[in-house]
């Protein structure tokens, strides 16, 4: 399952479950050794939570490496950007002393924008679905990607050209208002209510806008270490996840090429992030979900509430079938296991090693969401453990904790390279260097 070796100084970090795996913390940890940290897909529906020096930071668009001085953060062309949210995030970071220079954050001129009508459409559609809700965050992500594929999207470069923005917004708003009023029963949006504030936004964004694909290519070829940060997780990938209960972009490692504009030969290694158990937010199949006391305990002890929406996450046992799926799709070279400490005190522990469906055993994730929803997990039990506090090496972990990690590596075919035993930056065990 290992990836083809490309450039030795690039690493892509992806979620190996349904998102919320703790990518922010791992990217923050790895960013110390990187020169550039680039985000390549998704929108502000993703929230990365970091705890540094006892202070909690939640990021939605700016890459998690921003908390390290001297790094360049990049928002690639594959991201859809709500410029209002981005500017709020920039302002909040600057008040804390981060992003002191404009060039510390570069925004792709080719990235598409989320506009007010995207959010109105997103919320209205979800309301009309009733019991068939997908679980969208209502941030306008899906409708923005729709416009991108329909070739009517408005990009950052269009926003910077006032007449181009005026023409495109006018044409789009005529169509969107007709759809909002006649099909969705929503109020129309005024042109000036969007054009005027976004024209001011353009001037604030202008110092950050760049040809980020050329920048990344140059930095990699000059020997800089570049860390690529994904959003969401493999099971939310629009092609390879539990469709239609997915996000609107590709979340696997291959998406870094199109989403950041680098050539295949420039991508080196890939690291998959997975919790020591499994969670998902929103609707859709979840074979190992625990609806009783254990699930509630995982939610409580793991603080399993969405960083973006505050929604409670559904919790369940570790699903090796899902992580094998992620490993195959992204050619994972290593795993980072987060929240191992949340399992402390539970005995026995369970790992899903396969599914039973219609009398047969499945060792892979079926394409049919209905089939997955009715699949029964096949569990293997392992003894529980306690006493993870203060562990700084794998050798410091209880033998049963090490046994649990070893079994995950065996079942997924991917070695464990990082283990997180707490929310703080320093509560992390690096088994081997993901860049190496």
């Amino acid at each position: 399952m290992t990836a083809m070796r490309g450039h030795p100084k690039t690493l892509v970090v992806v979620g190996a479950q349904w998102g919320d795996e703790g990518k922010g913390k791992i990217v923050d940890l790895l960013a110390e050794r990187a020169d550039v940290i680039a985000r390549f897909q998704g929108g502000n529906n993703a929230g990365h939570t970091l705890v540094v020096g006892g202070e909690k930071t939640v990021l939605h668009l700016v890459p998690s490496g921003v908390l390290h001085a001297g790094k360049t953060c990049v928002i690639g062309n594959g991201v859809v950007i709500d410029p209002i949210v981005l500017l709020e995030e920039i302002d909040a970071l600057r008040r804390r002393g981060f992003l002191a220079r404009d060039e510390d954050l570069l925004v792709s001129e080719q990235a598409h924008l989320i506009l007010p009508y995207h959010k109105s459409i997103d919320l209205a559609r979800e309301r009309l679905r009733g019991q068939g809700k997908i679980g969208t965050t209502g941030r306008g992500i899906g409708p923005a990607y729709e416009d991108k594929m329909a070739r009517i999207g408005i990009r950052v470069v269009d926003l910077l050209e006032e007449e181009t923005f005026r023409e495109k917004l006018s044409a789009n708003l005529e169509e969107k208002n007709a759809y909002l009023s006649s099909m969705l029963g929503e109020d129309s949006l005024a042109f000036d209510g969007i054009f005027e504030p976004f024209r001011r936004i353009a001037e604030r964004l202008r110092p950050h806008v760049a040809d980020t694909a050329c920048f990344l290519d140059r930095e990699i070829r000059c020997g800089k270490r570049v860390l690529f940060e994904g959003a969401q997780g493999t099971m939310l990938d629009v092609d390879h996840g539990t469709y239609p209960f997915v996000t609107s972009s590709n979340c696997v490692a291959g998406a870094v090429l199109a989403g950041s504009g680098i050539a295949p030969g420039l991508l080196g290694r890939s690291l998959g992030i997975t919790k020591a158990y499994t969670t998902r937010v929103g609707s859709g199949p979840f074979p190992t979900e625990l609806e009783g006391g254990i699930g509630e305990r995982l939610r409580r002890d793991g603080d399993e509430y969405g960083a973006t929406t505050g929604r409670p996450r559904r919790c369940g046992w570790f699903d090796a079938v899902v992580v094998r799926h992620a490993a195959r799709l992204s050619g994972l070279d290593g795993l980072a296991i987060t929240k191992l400490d949340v399992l402390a005190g539970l005995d026995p522990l369970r790992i899903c090693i396969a599914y039973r469906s219609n009398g047969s055993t499945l060792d892979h994730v079926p394409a049919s969401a209905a089939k997955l929803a009715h699949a029964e997990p096949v569990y293997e039990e392992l003894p529980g453990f306690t006493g993870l506090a203060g562990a700084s090496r794998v050798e410091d972990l209880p033998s049963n904790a090490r046994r649990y990690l070893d079994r995950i590596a065996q079942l997924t075919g991917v070695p464990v390279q990082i283990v997180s035993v707490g929310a703080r930056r320093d509560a992390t065990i690096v088994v081997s260097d993901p860049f190496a």
Side-chain angles (χ1 to χ4, degrees), residues 1-5 268-270 327-328 330-334 412-415:
M1 292 185 183
T2 56
M4 294 177 62
R5 297 297 178 266
R269 302 180 69 83
S270 58
R328 176 177 57 81
S330 289
L332 297 179
D333 293 290
T412 61
V414 184

Side-chain angles (χ1 to χ4, degrees), residues 349-405:
L349 300 173
R350 285 181 154 192
I351 292 178
C352 173
I353 60 174
Y355 305 139
R356 284 198 187 93
S357 177
N358 296 324
S360 61
T361 300
L362 301 177
D363 63 357
H364 65 279
V365 177
S368 167
K371 190 172 185 178
L372 184 61
H374 292 97
E376 290 184 27
V378 178
Y379 285 119
E380 178 179 296
E381 288 194 352
L382 286 87
F385 52 82
T386 57
L388 301 188
S392 59
R393 303 174 305 155
V394 170
E395 293 77 13
D396 298 334
L397 295 174
S399 59
N400 283 343
R402 297 198 303 271
R403 178 179 175 182
Y404 186 78
L405 296 173

Side-chain angles (χ1 to χ4, degrees), residues 41-158:
Q41 50 85 212
N44 60 297
N45 52 345
H48 290 172
T49 303
L50 317 173
V51 180
V52 181
E55 186 168 9
K56 183 177 179 179
T57 302
V58 179
L59 299 170
H60 300 281
L61 285 168
V62 177
S64 303
V66 69
L67 302 187
H68 294 270
K71 313 295 180 181
T72 301
C73 290
V74 173
I75 298 177
N77 58 276
V79 180
V80 287
I81 298 171
D82 184 329
I84 296 173
V85 172
L86 178 57
L87 289 176
E88 288 174 350
E89 201 163 298
I90 290 171
D91 290 344
L93 287 164
R94 281 184 165 164
R95 285 194 294 269
R96 295 174 53 193
F98 302 109
L99 295 179
R101 305 175 305 157
D102 288 336
E103 56 267 33
D104 290 339
L105 175 65
L106 301 180
V107 178
S108 172
E109 60 189 0
Q110 294 178 298
H112 281 245
L113 296 175
I114 298 170
L115 292 152
Y117 50 76
H118 292 131
K119 289 184 276 189
S120 295
I121 290 171
D122 206 3
L123 290 167
R125 283 177 177 169
E126 189 75 341
R127 175 178 53 79
L128 291 174
R129 287 188 185 105
Q131 294 299 316
K133 288 182 179 180
I134 288 176
T136 175
T137 59
R139 298 317 199 251
I141 312 296
Y145 275 117
E146 286 177 35
D147 280 4
K148 177 178 180 177
M149 295 307 172
R151 293 163 294 184
I152 59 170
I154 297 177
R155 302 173 300 163
V156 171
V157 67
D158 302 323

Side-chain angles (χ1 to χ4, degrees), residues 76-318:
N77 58 276
V79 180
V80 287
I81 298 171
D82 184 329
I84 296 173
V85 172
L86 178 57
L87 289 176
E88 288 174 350
E89 201 163 298
I90 290 171
D91 290 344
L93 287 164
R94 281 184 165 164
R95 285 194 294 269
R96 295 174 53 193
F98 302 109
L99 295 179
R101 305 175 305 157
D102 288 336
E103 56 267 33
D104 290 339
L105 175 65
L106 301 180
V107 178
S108 172
E109 60 189 0
Q110 294 178 298
H112 281 245
L113 296 175
I114 298 170
L115 292 152
Y117 50 76
H118 292 131
K119 289 184 276 189
S120 295
I121 290 171
D122 206 3
L123 290 167
R125 283 177 177 169
E126 189 75 341
R127 175 178 53 79
L128 291 174
R129 287 188 185 105
Q131 294 299 316
K133 288 182 179 180
I134 288 176
T136 175
T137 59
R139 298 317 199 251
I141 312 296
Y145 275 117
E146 286 177 35
D147 280 4
K148 177 178 180 177
M149 295 307 172
R151 293 163 294 184
I152 59 170
I154 297 177
R155 302 173 300 163
V156 171
V157 67
D158 302 323
L159 180 64
L160 300 188
E161 299 171 359
E162 186 171 315
E163 285 309 307
T164 301
F165 180 55
R166 184 192 301 274
E167 292 171 9
K168 290 194 171 188
L169 178 63
S170 178
N172 283 4
L173 205 54
E174 183 176 354
E175 177 185 313
K176 302 301 181 185
N177 277 338
Y179 179 60
L180 280 166
S181 59
S182 63
M183 297 294 292
L184 300 179
E186 297 291 319
D187 293 335
S188 298
L189 301 175
F191 175 86
D192 287 342
I194 300 174
F195 181 75
E196 291 302 328
F198 272 71
R199 186 172 62 170
R200 294 190 293 272
I201 284 170
E203 294 314 306
R204 289 202 56 199
L205 278 183
R206 193 180 296 276
H208 298 284
V209 178
D211 184 337
T212 55
C214 283
F215 170 80
L216 290 168
D217 181 84
R218 183 171 61 250
E219 292 295 285
I220 294 170
R221 294 181 189 278
C222 288
K224 297 295 181 64
R225 185 169 279 155
V226 179
L227 177 62
F228 292 98
E229 174 189 42
Q232 287 90 33
T234 300
M235 297 306 293
L236 294 178
D237 184 282
V238 69
D239 284 305
H240 304 289
T242 49
Y243 191 90
F245 304 98
V246 293
T247 192
S248 303
S249 59
N250 289 114
C251 311
V252 295
V256 72
L257 307 177
S260 63
I262 66 164
L266 296 184
L267 182 60
R269 302 180 69 83
S270 58
L271 179 71
I273 317 301
T274 171
K275 284 175 182 165
Y277 49 99
T278 309
T279 65
R280 79 168 297 172
V281 170
S283 306
F286 182 5
T288 67
E289 183 172 12
L290 296 166
E291 297 182 345
I294 296 177
E296 292 169 2
R297 173 176 169 171
L298 291 173
R299 185 178 303 113
R300 182 193 68 228
D301 294 353
D303 191 24
E304 296 296 353
Y305 297 90
T308 298
T309 63
R311 290 182 296 181
R313 296 178 186 135
R314 299 156 65 190
C315 299
W317 294 118
F318 184 86

